[in-house]
């Protein structure tokens, strides 16, 4: 900053020998410092710029758009909080909000199953590697492909699920066409798809539990269940926390599987999620302003829920996320 | 070490620069200046037919055209994204129901004068098709409005039957001029519904209707309608309307149509093509698939309700021109060419995806069956009768958005399943539809005000 001898153009080819006469003492370090600093700024600039352009600007834009009547094409018309007022009376929005949170029942179920699987996969059982791979396959598969396959599996007449149930003499429902069963059907699929990922994280966490803890417990005469409850479970708690937070956020934004498996939002709108409703309003009914207001509300809801989770987590366990 | 840092630095700068560039560009219309972009939707058959028509256009005029094709269900979203990104294609398909908002937003060009300059005889194009894209600022579909597009086609939605199946069951072919009443038709359906292989399960049905796309014919023919004349009042709670919906729902109870599970396993469209269904709707776009079936099919008037008059809807998709195109003259020329040129129309008609837009060509086309016995369907005239005589626009075609109309279908399944009476459901859904229609009217007014303000 102090050097004035360097013309501005020199900045464009930075590492060239610095022509500025450096003070003899601190020469090496200060020159190095200066170039380093410049480089550092450049590197920092990239993500900051990206953040401004792709996060902050769109967020601000969305906030403004949510206060307008806008069809996504023409000029925006400022209408204050009208969209939010309309939202309060929107029965379908409430219904989709309910549906979306209903789907989250799948999160604890999925976590319990994947923890159980992780414990099993941690044993030296035959074909362990193969099982791990099999459970992970759904995670790397395209959600669109999976949704289509499950749509077939849920077919009322010939679907795999009902054929399987028929073996036990159970006559399965017409899953995706029955308002009572459509949501559970989607939950099952989501649990199945998420198992591999949660299992992998749990497995890694279990394997990093110090052996000495188990040995000490064994010396004290602890059984298998006691060891699991008092050592494994608390030790993997950070992973549980991470999974719950990320899955709640992801679950709040569930859309693709809904749109593919039930293109009309399901029987009597029983599978439509909030994002599905937003998408419909924005792109089918050209109410971009209103749809944006809904997504702002959804974003705030997710934020609040996540904050509550952090608070609860801090109180219940020593583990703190900085 | 210096070198690698230099490279890293350049890379960073490039990423940042290209990011900025990506945001900065836009405007203009996609391709090079002398190339038109044409965005449309459709399957392979349609794409092929259009490619041919457009190749001929390029040959005739020297104007190059870049085609952007999307699947049917993605089209609206892609077009909207293109508009938002300031990359409106020069020429593109436009739905009847979105015309008003696109006009209000200044996306569509008023092509009234340019089309007149092209010397096109618009009187020879189906009036329904042309008028669909006329808009006078408040009303769409009026002959006095300015022209914002030309019909890509019109789609008279006819009723058809499997002639072989009727013959086998000893039923006379339905008279093309004397429509069946609902009861007469239902009797035939019952006769056709059979368990042909004796395994205790029905495997042949009289019909297989879809309430969302087929109820219009029944409601209208029974004297009901979705709204009043000027589209301000939702009238689905009338007895005529309820009776028609109930009639369709009862078809499931009568067993003359596949039940919901069976329809889900293999939809009724597939079942008709497999020869399992007697009566089924036929649109012009179905001809390419139906003509290859190994049974004979033909068209007939829809069965009639209280009014004694058949009714059905006529769909249409338009071709519009962007307001911001660099080459308005060429763009209008392309739209006009695709919609009205004789050779271009012939290509599309030969592909069996539509009936001719030109009335004289259409009459010729319908008359061809007299000379050539192998042509299907024999009663092509039915399509023309619908276009000329008893077809109407879909209930939501000329309203601002279709949310009010879609609302009817969301909860209709219990009625079809026989769990709820049609009249009860309609009484329950009418206020919700009315509220949405009121909103749509308010939006239309605001859009009109915003459009005229600047």
């Amino acid at each position: 900053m102090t050097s004035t001898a360097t013309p501005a153009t020199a900045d464009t080819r930075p590492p060239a020998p610095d022509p500025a006469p450096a003070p003899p003492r601190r020469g090496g370090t200060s020159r190095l410092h200066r170039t380093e600093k410049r480089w550092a700024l450049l590197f920092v600039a990239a993500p900051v710029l990206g953040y401004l352009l792709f996060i902050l600007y769109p967020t601000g834009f969305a906030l403004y758009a949510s206060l307008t009547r806008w069809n996504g094409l023409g000029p925006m018309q400022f209408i204050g909080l009208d969209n939010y007022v309309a939202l309060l009376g929107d029965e379908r929005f409430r219904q989709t909000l309910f549906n979306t949170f209903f789907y989250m029942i799948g999160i604890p179920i999925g976590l319990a199953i994947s923890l159980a699987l992780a414990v099993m996969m941690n044993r030296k059982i035959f074909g362990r590697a193969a099982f791990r791979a099999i459970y992970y396959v759904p995670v790397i598969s395209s959600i669109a492909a999976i949704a289509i396959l499950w749509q077939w599996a849920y077919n009322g007449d010939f679907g795999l699920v009902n054929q399987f149930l028929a073996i036990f003499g159970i006559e399965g429902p017409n899953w995706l066409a029955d308002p009572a069963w459509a949501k559970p059907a989607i939950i099952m699929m989501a649990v199945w798809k998420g198992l591999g990922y949660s299992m992998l994280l749990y497995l890694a966490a279990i394997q990093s539990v110090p052996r000495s803890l188990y040995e000490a417990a064994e010396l004290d005469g602890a059984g298998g269940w006691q060891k699991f409850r008092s050592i494994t479970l608390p030790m993997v708690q950070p992973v549980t926390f991470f999974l719950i937070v990320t899955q709640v956020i992801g679950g709040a934004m569930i859309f693709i599987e809904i749109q593919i498996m039930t293109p009309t939002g399901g029987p009597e709108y029983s599978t439509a999620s909030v994002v599905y409703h937003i998408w419909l309003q924005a792109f089918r009914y050209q109410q971009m302003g209103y749809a944006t207001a809904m997504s702002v509300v959804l974003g705030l809801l997710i934020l609040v829920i996540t904050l509550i989770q952090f608070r609860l987590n801090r109180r219940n366990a020593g583990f703190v996320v900085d | 070490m210096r070198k690698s840092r230099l490279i890293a630095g350049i890379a960073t700068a490039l990423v940042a620069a290209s990011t900025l560039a990506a945001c900065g560009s836009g405007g203009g219309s996609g391709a090079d200046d002398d190339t038109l972009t044409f965005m449309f939707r459709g399957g392979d058959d349609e794409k092929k037919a259009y490619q041919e028509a457009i190749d001929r256009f390029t040959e005739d005029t020297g104007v190059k055209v870049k085609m952007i094709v999307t699947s049917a269900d993605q089209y609206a979203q892609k077009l909207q994204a293109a508009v938002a990104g300031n990359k409106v294609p020069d020429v593109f398909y436009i739905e009847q129901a979105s015309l008003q908002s696109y006009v209000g937003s200044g996306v569509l060009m008023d092509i009234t004068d340019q089309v007149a300059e092209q010397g096109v005889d618009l009187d020879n194009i189906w009036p329904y098709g042309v008028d669909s894209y006329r808009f006078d600022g408040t009303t769409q579909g009026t002959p006095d409005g300015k022209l914002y597009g030309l019909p890509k086609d019109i789609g008279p939605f006819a009723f058809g039957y499997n002639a072989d199946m009727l013959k086998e069951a000893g039923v006379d072919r339905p008279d093309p001029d004397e429509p069946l009443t609902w009861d007469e038709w239902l009797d035939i359906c019952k006769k056709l519904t059979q368990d042909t292989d004796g395994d205790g399960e029905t495997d042949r049905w009289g019909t297989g209707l879809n309430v969302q796309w087929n109820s219009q014919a029944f409601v209208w023919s029974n004297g009901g309608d979705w709204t009043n004349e000027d589209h301000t009042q939702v009238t689905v709670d009338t007895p005529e309307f309820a009776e028609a919906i109930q009639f369709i729902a009862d078809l499931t109870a009568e067993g003359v149509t596949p039940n919901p599970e069976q329809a889900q396993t293999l939809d009724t469209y597939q079942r008709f093509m497999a020869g399992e269904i007697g009566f089924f709707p036929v649109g012009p776009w179905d001809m390419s698939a139906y003509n290859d079936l190994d049974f004979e099919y033909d068209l007939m008037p829809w069965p009639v309700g209280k009014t004694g008059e058949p009714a059905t809807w006529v769909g249409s998709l338009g071709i519009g021109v962007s307001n911001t195109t660099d080459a308005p003259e060429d763009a209008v020329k392309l739209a006009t060419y695709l919609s009205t040129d004789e050779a271009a129309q012939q290509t599309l008609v030969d592909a069996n995806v539509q009936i001719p837009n030109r009335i004289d060509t259409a009459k010729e086309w319908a008359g061809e069956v007299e000379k050539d016995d192998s042509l299907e369907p024999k009663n092509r005239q039915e399509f023309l009768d619908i276009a000329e005589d008893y077809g109407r626009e879909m209930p939501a075609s000329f309203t601002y958005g279709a949310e009010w109309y879609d609302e009817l279908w969301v909860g209709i399944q219990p009625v079809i399943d026989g769990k709820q009476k049609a009249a009860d459901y309609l009484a329950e859904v009418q206020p919700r539809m009315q509220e949405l229609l009121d909103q749509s009217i308010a939006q239309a007014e605001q859009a009109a005000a915003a459009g005229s303000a600047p």
Side-chain angles (χ1 to χ4, degrees):
Chain A
M1 302 300 115
T2 50
S3 149
T4 50
T6 318
T9 50
D11 284 342
T12 54
R13 35 186 179 82
D18 193 343
R25 258 322 128 72
R26 320 173 301 150
T29 50
S30 106
R31 195 194 304 155
L32 184 63
H33 261 261
R34 243 180 295 138
T35 37
E36 292 269 296
K37 211 188 234 167
R38 227 180 287 147
W39 279 104
L41 279 177
L42 198 61
F43 278 107
V44 170
V48 169
L49 224 78
Y51 175 78
L52 289 176
L53 270 173
F54 296 116
I55 311 278
L56 206 62
Y57 170 70
T59 309
F61 183 81
L63 282 175
Y64 175 71
S66 74
L67 302 175
T68 66
R69 182 174 288 119
W70 181 40
N71 65 7
L73 305 165
M76 294 165 150
Q77 185 195 354
F78 189 81
I79 52 166
L81 292 173
D82 279 9
N83 282 333
Y84 293 93
V85 174
L87 225 155
L88 289 176
D90 187 343
E91 216 176 295
R92 294 253 179 263
F93 181 69
R94 247 174 295 159
Q95 191 186 356
T96 53
L97 212 55
F98 170 76
N99 290 347
T100 307
F101 284 106
F102 193 94
Y103 290 136
M104 291 185 188
I105 295 175
I107 296 175
I109 299 174
L111 289 186
I113 300 177
S114 41
L115 182 57
L117 281 174
V119 170
M120 282 195 274
M121 294 296 143
N122 196 34
R123 307 251 168 118
K124 291 191 167 49
I125 53 169
F126 177 74
R128 188 166 67 153
F131 277 118
R132 285 180 186 174
I134 288 172
Y135 280 111
Y136 205 69
V137 165
V139 181
I140 55 166
S141 310
S142 146
I143 178 71
I146 285 180
I148 290 171
L149 288 177
W150 275 86
Q151 197 181 16
W152 292 340
Y154 278 137
N155 181 290
D157 254 359
F158 294 110
L160 272 179
V161 177
N162 280 359
Q163 283 188 28
F164 177 74
L165 290 176
I167 298 175
F168 306 99
I170 304 170
E171 198 186 325
N174 189 357
W175 294 93
L176 294 174
D178 186 331
W181 286 105
K183 273 195 284 284
I186 290 192
I187 291 176
M188 280 200 282
M189 191 214 79
V191 166
W192 174 83
K193 163 130 175 94
L195 278 186
Y197 178 71
S198 309
M199 184 195 77
L200 198 74
L201 289 189
Y202 271 134
L203 194 58
I206 290 173
Q207 286 177 346
S208 64
V209 176
R211 288 236 53 84
S212 56
L213 291 179
Y214 291 110
E215 280 160 18
E218 272 159 27
L219 284 179
D220 288 341
W225 171 247
Q226 275 173 315
K227 277 192 289 180
F228 172 76
R229 221 184 66 93
S230 309
I231 302 175
T232 315
L233 211 52
M235 289 304 278
V236 301
Q237 204 272 339
V239 170
T240 308
F241 176 67
F242 168 78
L243 285 173
I244 290 180
V245 170
T246 51
Q247 290 189 4
V248 166
I249 294 175
M253 297 190 283
I254 187 168
F255 170 68
I256 302 174
E257 44 272 64
I258 310 288
Q259 202 229 347
I260 293 178
M261 292 172 74
T262 54
T264 55
E268 295 158 58
Y269 229 49
S270 59
T271 61
S273 65
V274 176
V275 178
Y276 176 86
H277 192 55
I278 292 174
W279 171 77
L280 210 63
Q281 292 293 330
F283 293 105
R284 172 97 58 96
Y285 303 134
Q286 301 176 345
Q287 307 210 39
M288 196 59 95
Y290 184 54
T292 315
M294 282 194 273
S295 44
V296 169
V297 170
L298 178 65
L300 286 175
L301 274 176
I302 297 176
L303 180 71
V304 168
I305 293 170
T306 310
L307 285 177
I308 293 174
Q309 285 174 329
F310 271 85
R311 181 61 59 83
L312 286 178
N313 183 59
R314 197 174 306 170
R315 199 181 305 155
N316 293 345
F319 170 71
V320 176
V321 180
D322 287 321
Chain B
M1 158 127 180
R2 275 227 147 158
K3 202 167 194 180
S4 67
R5 234 197 286 165
L6 177 68
I7 292 169
I10 292 172
T12 317
L14 275 179
V15 170
S18 61
T19 312
L20 287 172
C23 298
S25 72
S29 27
D32 311 332
D33 289 335
D34 57 339
T35 304
L36 288 176
T37 48
F38 171 48
M39 183 158 155
F40 69 109
R41 66 185 196 203
D44 288 342
D45 284 352
E46 239 171 322
K47 192 181 173 191
K48 224 167 69 194
Y50 271 94
Q51 184 68 60
E52 245 174 80
I54 281 176
D55 285 348
R56 198 164 322 112
F57 175 76
T58 306
E59 224 169 86
D60 289 354
T61 59
V63 179
K64 276 181 273 178
V65 179
K66 184 177 154 225
M67 290 167 51
I68 307 167
V69 60
T70 80
S71 64
D73 50 340
Q74 282 192 337
Y75 181 77
Q77 200 175 336
K78 289 235 166 102
L79 180 61
Q80 199 168 352
V83 172
N86 242 342
K87 295 217 177 239
V88 191
D90 297 300
V91 181
F92 52 93
Y93 277 7
I94 178 82
E95 283 165 16
Q96 288 167 311
S98 21
L99 185 89
Q100 291 184 37
S101 60
Y102 275 79
V103 171
S105 313
V107 177
L108 278 173
M109 190 162 90
D110 171 4
I111 56 173
T112 320
D113 298 336
Q114 279 104 321
V115 169
E117 276 166 33
Q118 301 281 326
V120 182
D121 178 14
L122 285 185
D123 290 339
N124 190 24
I125 311 296
W126 298 108
Y128 170 82
V130 179
D131 291 349
S132 287
Y133 307 98
R134 289 191 194 270
F135 179 50
D136 65 3
T138 47
T139 314
Q140 184 184 346
T142 123
D144 313 320
K146 288 181 190 149
L147 195 61
Y148 288 97
L150 286 167
K152 165 235 164 206
D153 68 352
I154 62 166
F157 199 58
F159 205 44
Y161 58 92
N162 178 335
D164 292 2
M165 193 192 287
L166 260 62
K167 196 171 171 191
E168 196 190 306
V171 178
D172 290 340
R173 279 175 93 116
D175 191 310
D177 300 314
E178 201 57 47
L180 298 167
T181 66
W182 289 358
D183 290 336
E184 289 167 351
W185 176 68
L186 183 59
D187 282 341
I188 301 178
C189 284
K190 283 181 187 159
K191 225 178 269 178
L192 295 179
T193 304
Q194 278 174 22
D195 168 18
T196 53
D197 58 8
D199 68 348
E201 276 189 44
T202 308
D203 46 31
R204 212 175 75 179
W205 294 268
T207 188
L209 299 182
N210 172 322
V211 67
Q212 189 169 350
W213 296 103
N214 308 150
S215 58
Q216 293 82 359
F218 291 85
V219 169
W220 287 333
S221 175
N222 206 40
D225 201 350
W226 268 254
T227 63
N228 59 352
E229 192 86 4
D230 57 357
H231 308 294
T232 53
Q233 205 67 38
V234 175
T235 57
V236 298
D237 50 353
T238 59
E240 295 84 19
F241 200 107
E243 196 186 358
I245 299 290
Q246 194 63 57
F247 178 75
I248 295 177
D250 289 346
L251 293 175
T252 310
E254 298 271 8
V256 298
T257 173
N259 65 32
E261 280 91 30
Q262 289 161 335
Q264 190 191 24
T265 302
L266 188 63
D267 63 37
T268 49
Y269 170 70
Q270 300 286 348
R271 287 188 192 271
F272 174 71
M273 294 207 289
E276 297 176 8
I277 282 180
F279 294 95
F280 203 69
V282 183
W285 52 87
D286 289 321
M287 289 187 292
S288 66
Y290 288 2
N291 286 358
D292 292 338
L293 298 176
D294 48 15
F295 59 82
E296 192 200 342
Y297 78 101
D298 205 356
L299 308 183
M300 61 187 272
W302 285 83
V304 293
K306 264 187 207 149
T307 66
E309 295 292 326
T312 186
W313 52 269
V314 186
S316 179
L317 200 57
I319 306 177
V321 172
S322 160
N323 217 354
T324 54
T325 175
D326 294 329
E329 206 173 304
D330 288 342
V332 174
K333 219 184 270 175
L334 176 61
T336 321
Y337 182 85
L338 292 173
S339 174
T340 65
D341 184 82
E342 212 163 347
Q345 281 288 307
Q346 199 56 51
T347 312
L348 299 171
V349 172
D350 287 346
N352 278 320
V353 293
Q354 68 171 74
I355 68 166
N357 272 349
R358 299 163 63 98
I359 297 175
D360 55 359
T361 319
K363 290 200 164 138
E364 238 167 73
W365 173 78
E368 279 170 18
V369 288
E370 309 284 337
K371 289 168 245 155
D372 186 345
D373 208 36
S374 68
L375 290 175
E376 275 195 292
K378 286 210 169 54
N379 185 17
R380 283 179 176 177
Q381 182 61 36
E382 199 65 41
F383 280 136
L384 273 54
D385 288 348
I386 296 171
E388 258 178 337
D389 180 21
Y390 68 88
R392 317 183 187 189
E393 75 272 6
M394 273 290 214
S397 294
F398 298 158
T399 56
Y400 195 90
E403 191 177 8
W404 68 272
Y405 173 75
D406 288 351
E407 179 67 28
L408 178 63
W409 310 123
V410 172
I412 196 113
Q413 197 57 41
V415 177
I416 303 302
D417 293 344
K419 292 180 195 146
Q420 194 180 13
K421 284 273 156 238
D424 295 344
Y425 172 69
L426 292 167
E428 189 187 296
V429 78
Q430 192 274 344
R432 293 207 298 270
M433 292 174 71
Q434 184 64 50
E435 193 182 325
L436 290 166
L437 182 63
D438 289 343
Q439 281 173 24
S440 126
I441 293 168
Q443 281 164 18
E445 279 163 7
Q446 274 142 6
S452 58

